[in-house]
Amino acid sequence: MTLHPRIEAVTDRIRRRSAQPRRAYLEGIDAVLKDGPQRTRLSCGNLAHAFAACGPTDKGRLRADVTPNLGIVTAYNDMLSAHQPFEHYPEMIRQLARELGATAQVAGGVPAMCDGVTQGRPGMELSLFSRDVIAQATAISLSHDMFDAALYLGVCDKIVPGLLMGALAFGHLPAVFVPAGPMTPGIPNKEKAAVRERYAAGEATREELLEAESASYHGAGTCTFYGTANSNQTLLEAMGLQLPGTSFVNPDLPLRDVLTRAAAERALRITALGEDYRPIGHLVDERAIVNAIAALMATGGSTNHTIHWVAVARAAGIVLTWDDIDEISQVVPLLAHVYPNGEADVNRFAAAGGTQFVFRELLDAGLMHDIPTIVAGGMRSYCDEPRLADGQLAYSPGIATSADEKVVRPVSAPFEAQGGLRLLRGNLGRSLIKTSAVKPEYRRIHAPAVVVDDPRSLNKLHAAGALPQDFVAVVRYQGPRANGMPELHSLAPLLGLLQNQGRRVALVTDGRLSGASGKIPAAIHITPEAAAGGPLARLREGDMILLDAEAGVLEAQVDAEEWQLRTLAPDTARPSHDLGRNLFALNRAQVTPADQGAVSISCGPPTPEHGWEVDAEYELGDTPQAAAAPHEAKDA
């Protein structure tokens, strides 16, 4: 396989830019193992506490220090349909470990909130910061130094990035991620979206809406659209951190349990006690990060990962930028149409060829690195499909041609020549737009701004008939420093309804948008954000805005002299009730900008200001200040 020259160039640029922090990271994790596995250095009192509640067999093995002990970090709760199946995984894993002469213990649990429940609610302001809390909780779980490898039970939104960040803090430990699979199909996502839009128009009752939502979200497993949760699973496989083909096997299938047991078995075989040691800190290098971004682009995945994977990379001492992501997107074609980019759900995606087909296409085209993974065969193993043969796990080659070209296509005939995300630049800062779900005729808009600081104001303006025929909805003071950067998915039904009526609309915000959102052109994650003095705070009602996704432009068409003289508008949407948000005041105060991962904790090797000390190859264009006009940089 010959690597595509632009993928090779981006990878090399990341490697050179990250040389110093990456070296510091690897030296740190390698130093941990210089005296052997950690458990051997625990005192008798430490050990007695650690296995006090274990049965005689496990206790005897833990006393002996000769067999591996798995640490299980679980995000189980009943609030997330995707995580509910994890309730019974620990006992399954403990039993498998005993059968193989080893042990396993639940090291700890991490919080896992459901964005589907908190959409449009105050709790959404805690959503992004929960990722950093999960990373910290993972570190606490592993702090006992009792483990030779770790299994991570998590699927959804911030949970997987948080688990990854925590796992990389213990980079000397092998890590295997264990999913639970998607729920079986419900009503088509397009039908559900239509009911939402009818409800926004006052044409459907609450009972009708609830019936449609319940028919869509109806059982255990991941929501079936290709949002952040299911994108997580694809990216984990692209990095080689889950067993091949495990992402989209439904809960309760016999194969699901076999795969969970196989994941535990594999974790036991790659510890430092054996001859196939594979610590996560060495597996997650710049090639693995590029693989994740390439898979994200090829499948039209969630915009949230332009924040999360910058933070994940940072946890491994790697400096990933939005410019890298944009360049990868320009060379990796869009190979999948899964809702919201198409009508198919992830079950249909898997049946059409799924990740196995996409990965083979990317590898053959030189758009993905063949890297070391948790399994012996490298990335080529991820082109194989798991199955049951006489009750045992077996793998066979994935299909060579798409089983449904409405859902997945080869590199030679993609849905689009470029991936699903683009970087926008202009006098409003830097932002990202998900183009894969937006029809080409809607990717450019020139219209006046309707400026609000509270997303709910837009619905009130619509109800009052106060919205222009065509407009750009500017929702500001929604960035990480302002209020934790909530998702604004609750705006999608209204904006989708107006677009269906033939009106030209778009969204511009320093907030986030759910991975489930799609057809409205939306410039999101704007950096610098309004609360940090960013240019969104200078916008005024009626300013003409140009959003051109194809050209990568986002700008307010305001006279430069007038723009420079404008004062920053204050935030007018402070909440009247706290509901736990005061507990995250420190996170808001110290969080990095969105294009630096929106990280509110110390993450990765210690570095000087702005998060990183990098070599001379670090491009000026990679800094948030470079995106703003000169008179804006000082405000940022």
Side-chain angles (χ1 to χ4, degrees), residues 20-283:
Q20 183 172 331
R22 179 64 176 170
R23 186 183 313 114
Y25 173 77
L26 291 176
E27 288 174 353
I29 64 172
D30 290 344
V32 174
L33 274 181
K34 64 182 180 181
D35 297 323
Q38 298 293 292
R39 195 166 69 254
T40 62
R41 281 171 272 167
L42 295 181
S43 72
C44 294
N46 296 150
L47 278 171
H49 277 289
F51 56 59
C54 293
T57 300
D58 289 354
K59 190 173 293 187
R61 290 171 179 171
L62 289 169
R63 290 171 66 102
D65 290 330
V66 293
T67 58
N69 184 37
L70 295 180
I72 303 168
V73 182
T74 178
Y76 159 72
N77 67 39
D78 292 331
M79 291 302 302
L80 283 85
S81 59
H83 289 201
Q84 188 276 334
F86 288 140
E87 181 177 10
H88 304 293
Y89 278 32
E91 183 54 37
M92 192 188 315
I93 293 166
R94 284 191 288 260
Q95 184 58 40
L96 183 281
R98 292 185 188 115
E99 291 171 9
L100 296 179
T103 54
Q105 296 175 292
V106 172
V110 302
M113 63 180 288
C114 181
D115 286 3
V117 176
T118 56
Q119 286 288 346
R121 307 293 302 163
M124 179 50 71
E125 294 189 11
L126 310 186
S127 172
L128 180 60
F129 291 140
S130 75
R131 181 199 66 192
D132 296 356
V133 174
I134 290 163
Q136 292 174 315
T138 301
I140 292 170
S141 300
L142 298 176
S143 65
H144 303 98
D145 286 342
M146 277 291 294
F147 311 112
D148 301 290
L151 292 170
Y152 298 92
L153 312 185
V155 174
C156 290
D157 299 350
K158 280 73 49 196
I159 294 94
V160 164
L163 289 170
L164 252 177
M165 291 162 67
L168 287 165
F170 285 73
H172 64 286
L173 290 179
V176 177
F177 284 75
V178 186
M183 67 178 70
T184 55
I187 67 168
N189 286 295
K190 187 176 181 180
E191 182 179 333
K192 173 191 65 181
V195 178
R196 286 178 175 176
E197 290 175 3
R198 287 178 50 232
Y199 181 75
E203 298 171 356
T205 66
R206 179 178 171 84
E207 288 73 21
E208 289 177 288
L209 178 61
L210 182 58
E211 184 63 29
E213 299 284 3
S214 300
S216 178
Y217 310 117
H218 63 88
T222 316
C223 304
T224 61
F225 57 81
Y226 196 58
T228 308
N230 285 316
S231 299
N232 277 336
Q233 305 311 299
T234 297
L235 270 58
L236 285 172
E237 287 204 36
M239 297 170 73
L241 300 179
Q242 284 185 174
L243 288 187
T246 55
S247 294
F248 303 127
V249 176
N250 303 118
D252 300 325
L253 290 179
L255 179 58
R256 180 81 271 164
D257 286 350
V258 171
L259 287 168
T260 299
R261 289 169 57 88
E265 181 177 0
R266 187 59 191 159
L268 289 169
R269 298 196 185 284
I270 59 175
T271 73
L273 297 176
E275 298 180 354
D276 193 16
Y277 178 47
R278 295 174 185 246
I280 185 175
H282 282 274
L283 292 182

Side-chain angles (χ1 to χ4, degrees), residues 191-503:
E191 182 179 333
K192 173 191 65 181
V195 178
R196 286 178 175 176
E197 290 175 3
R198 287 178 50 232
Y199 181 75
E203 298 171 356
T205 66
R206 179 178 171 84
E207 288 73 21
E208 289 177 288
L209 178 61
L210 182 58
E211 184 63 29
E213 299 284 3
S214 300
S216 178
Y217 310 117
H218 63 88
T222 316
C223 304
T224 61
F225 57 81
Y226 196 58
T228 308
N230 285 316
S231 299
N232 277 336
Q233 305 311 299
T234 297
L235 270 58
L236 285 172
E237 287 204 36
M239 297 170 73
L241 300 179
Q242 284 185 174
L243 288 187
T246 55
S247 294
F248 303 127
V249 176
N250 303 118
D252 300 325
L253 290 179
L255 179 58
R256 180 81 271 164
D257 286 350
V258 171
L259 287 168
T260 299
R261 289 169 57 88
E265 181 177 0
R266 187 59 191 159
L268 289 169
R269 298 196 185 284
I270 59 175
T271 73
L273 297 176
E275 298 180 354
D276 193 16
Y277 178 47
R278 295 174 185 246
I280 185 175
H282 282 274
L283 292 182
V284 178
D285 60 10
E286 65 282 344
R287 297 171 300 168
I289 295 295
V290 167
N291 274 10
I293 301 304
L296 182 71
M297 299 307 154
T299 55
S302 171
T303 54
N304 280 321
H305 293 312
T306 62
I307 296 174
H308 294 324
W309 251 252
V310 170
V312 167
R314 177 174 178 170
I318 297 165
V319 187
L320 175 71
T321 72
W322 281 1
D323 297 270
D324 301 325
I325 294 172
D326 186 55
E327 187 167 350
I328 293 170
S329 182
Q330 290 181 40
V331 71
V332 174
L334 182 65
L335 304 182
H337 261 185
V338 190
Y339 189 85
N341 306 329
E343 296 186 16
D345 72 359
V346 293
N347 293 288
R348 188 173 161 195
F349 168 63
T355 55
Q356 297 94 338
F357 179 83
V358 170
F359 292 166
R360 178 181 291 109
E361 288 293 311
L362 293 177
L363 285 165
D364 289 349
L367 297 169
M368 177 181 273
H369 295 275
D370 190 359
I371 56 174
T373 70
I374 61 168
V375 297
M379 275 310 302
R380 285 288 171 181
S381 297
Y382 289 77
C383 303
D384 295 337
E385 184 175 357
R387 57 185 176 84
L388 284 180
D390 297 324
Q392 302 297 312
L393 178 62
Y395 279 89
S396 58
I399 58 176
T401 59
S402 172
D404 187 347
E405 290 210 348
K406 293 180 180 179
V407 182
V408 289
R409 292 184 182 175
V411 168
S412 59
F415 291 102
E416 294 193 43
Q418 296 185 348
L421 294 172
R422 284 299 308 274
L423 177 63
L424 304 178
R425 301 176 177 88
N427 64 357
L428 289 177
R430 285 152 51 94
S431 67
L432 291 148
I433 185 168
K434 183 173 181 176
T435 58
S436 56
V438 179
K439 293 180 178 179
E441 60 265 31
Y442 295 124
R443 293 179 185 174
R444 186 184 190 277
I445 181 171
H446 184 233
V450 173
V451 183
V452 299
D453 298 341
D454 183 345
R456 294 169 295 184
S457 299
L458 209 61
N459 288 286
K460 294 177 182 177
L461 290 171
H462 172 62
L467 293 174
Q469 173 68 19
D470 300 336
F471 65 95
V472 174
V474 177
V475 186
R476 62 190 180 185
Y477 289 103
Q478 304 296 312
R481 184 176 292 272
N483 62 357
M485 205 178 190
E487 289 182 348
L488 304 177
H489 184 47
S490 59
L491 295 174
L494 171 62
L495 294 176
L497 168 70
L498 298 179
Q499 184 169 279
N500 288 347
Q501 293 173 350
R503 299 165 69 171

